[in-house]
Amino acid sequence: MKISFIFPGQGSQYVGMGKEISEHSDVSKAVFQEASDALHYDVADLCFNGPIEELNKTWRTQPCILTVSIALFSVLKEKGITPDVVAGHSLGEYSALVAAGVLTFQEAARLTEKRGRFMQEAVPEGKGLMAAILGMERDKVDQICGSLDSGYAAAANYNCPGQIVIAGEKAAIEEAIGKCKNAGAKRAVALAVSVPSHCLLMSDASEKLAGLLDTIEFKSPLIPVVNNADARLLRSAEEIKPSLVRQLSNPLLWEDSVKTMADSGTDIFVEVGPGKILSGLIKRIAPEAKIFHVGNVESLENTLSLLP
């Protein structure tokens, strides 16, 4: 059986995430201490106790979700459960790179904090917006985004059949919401996020990220990584850096990424991290696959008991 580990991105965070696994496992607890040492604040306290307003700040959210994901991954690794392929949704791609041995955990923690700051600085608060469009085909959403009068909007996340997220200038996204509803979308709703990710408004953040990545040594992955920007199996460090830069300002191809993993022989997907958002998406993309989630002690034990 071929196993793919998948790691969640922003939106999966909640106050209390990782607390139970940290108390249950010394190897997980050590990951939180590593994060605190790298970032110079108490990451465990923010994850476990909040406040939510601080945890939801992009430059806090990103390293905190990374930390919880790698804390859970470390337990699976300790138990002898390792993946054949890894991937992550947006921020989750950095967790995947740690799991594949491309980056050290502390490097990734510092990198995701700075990535979050670059993203927040790229678009003044209130100028950008994202929206979820449910029940429409890709081509129709793309066509609507290309026909707007009020500014720039584009597809940002192709999450699964019938679920697309768009991003862009606030007025343009609001216009697109109305047009999608009129064109028959089951639902079109603005998202409560402060940064319009994976679109051209992130070009400045991409340039800053490229400069930062040039200062970090990437190792070749020990196992293939499926990237967001192209939905390809990457096997070299030279491919990964430019892929991460493009990821910020190009659509996130999650549906295609899951299909790539399934086509490469993945029978089992294990979502490793807070929340179960990706598990729900995979059910719609690859319904024949077995899907497990590891987000706390109960789900860890359940997964360990059921994995072949």
Side-chain angles (χ1 to χ4, degrees), residues 48 64 73 82 95 104 116 268 270:
F48 303 166
C64 283
F73 168 76
T82 55
S95 301
T104 69
I268 297 171
V270 182

Side-chain angles (χ1 to χ4, degrees), residues 2 85-86 224-227 231-235 239 260-261 264:
K2 193 170 183 178
V85 180
V86 290
V225 179
V226 178
N227 72 329
R232 287 176 49 233
L233 289 157
L234 303 187
R235 294 181 169 87
E239 295 176 289
T260 295
M261 287 181 273
S264 73

Side-chain angles (χ1 to χ4, degrees), residues 143-153 169 171-176 179:
Q143 180 185 341
I144 287 172
C145 287
S147 70
L148 303 174
D149 299 318
S150 52
Y152 167 76
E169 295 167 329
I173 294 297
E174 289 171 344
E175 182 186 354
K179 284 195 168 187

Side-chain angles (χ1 to χ4, degrees), residues 96-116:
L97 294 177
V98 174
V102 176
L103 291 168
T104 69
F105 170 64
Q106 287 204 352
E107 285 171 336
R110 289 187 288 264
L111 181 53
T112 54
E113 181 182 59
K114 289 178 180 176
R115 177 181 183 264

Side-chain angles (χ1 to χ4, degrees), residues 2-289:
K2 193 170 183 178
I3 298 176
S4 288
F5 281 9
I6 53 169
F7 298 90
Q10 281 185 247
S12 59
Q13 72 273 12
Y14 62 91
V15 172
M17 65 179 185
K19 185 174 189 293
E20 191 182 45
I21 200 69
S22 175
E23 293 171 346
H24 175 79
S25 160
D26 288 341
V27 70
S28 287
K29 188 175 183 178
V31 172
F32 284 95
Q33 187 57 55
E34 270 195 80
S36 298
D37 292 344
L39 300 174
H40 307 296
Y41 67 88
D42 192 334
V43 174
D45 183 59
L46 181 54
C47 290
F48 303 166
N49 304 310
I52 189 64
E53 294 79 14
E54 186 69 14
L55 183 60
N56 281 345
K57 291 177 180 176
T58 300
W59 63 90
R60 300 292 197 208
T61 309
Q62 295 200 22
C64 283
I65 291 176
L66 170 86
T67 300
V68 174
S69 296
I70 297 304
L72 291 158
F73 168 76
S74 68
V75 180
L76 286 167
K77 187 177 180 181
E78 185 181 49
K79 300 289 186 182
I81 308 298
T82 55
D84 300 293
V85 180
V86 290
H89 190 280
S90 189
L91 159 72
E93 192 162 350
Y94 290 82
S95 301
L97 294 177
V98 174
V102 176
L103 291 168
T104 69
F105 170 64
Q106 287 204 352
E107 285 171 336
R110 289 187 288 264
L111 181 53
T112 54
E113 181 182 59
K114 289 178 180 176
R115 177 181 183 264
R117 290 190 183 276
F118 295 158
M119 292 170 69
Q120 190 67 68
E121 292 164 359
V123 180
E125 196 162 348
K127 297 293 185 182
L129 192 62
M130 299 183 80
I133 311 299
L134 306 183
M136 290 192 77
E137 298 293 327
R138 285 188 183 196
D139 290 349
K140 186 63 177 176
V141 174
D142 291 341
Q143 180 185 341
I144 287 172
C145 287
S147 70
L148 303 174
D149 299 318
S150 52
Y152 167 76
N157 298 3
Y158 296 110
N159 279 333
C160 71
Q163 185 185 124
I164 297 168
V165 174
I166 60 175
E169 295 167 329
K170 186 173 184 290
I173 294 297
E174 289 171 344
E175 182 186 354
I177 288 172
K179 284 195 168 187
C180 287
K181 287 179 178 177
N182 291 337
K186 289 182 180 178
R187 195 170 180 217
V189 59
L191 300 177
V193 295
S194 59
V195 175
S197 307
H198 308 299
C199 73
L200 292 178
L201 297 183
M202 287 291 109
S203 295
D204 184 57
S206 291
E207 289 180 17
K208 290 179 179 178
L209 182 64
L212 177 60
L213 293 179
D214 282 342
T215 69
I216 300 171
E217 180 187 358
F218 278 38
K219 295 180 176 66
S220 292
L222 302 174
I223 54 175
V225 179
V226 178
N227 72 329
N228 287 179
D230 309 296
R232 287 176 49 233
L233 289 157
L234 303 187
R235 294 181 169 87
S236 73
E238 292 74 25
E239 295 176 289
I240 291 170
K241 281 189 180 183
S243 168
L244 291 175
V245 174
R246 286 184 290 110
Q247 187 223 64
L248 264 188
S249 54
N250 285 271
L252 192 153
L253 305 178
W254 186 250
E255 179 182 342
D256 308 73
S257 297
V258 173
K259 288 178 178 177
T260 295
M261 287 181 273
D263 290 344
S264 73
T266 293
D267 308 288
I268 297 171
F269 290 90
V270 182
E271 181 174 6
V272 184
K276 297 176 71 174
I277 293 170
L278 301 183
S279 297
L281 298 179
I282 291 171
K283 285 177 185 176
R284 299 188 60 183
I285 302 166
E288 70 287 351

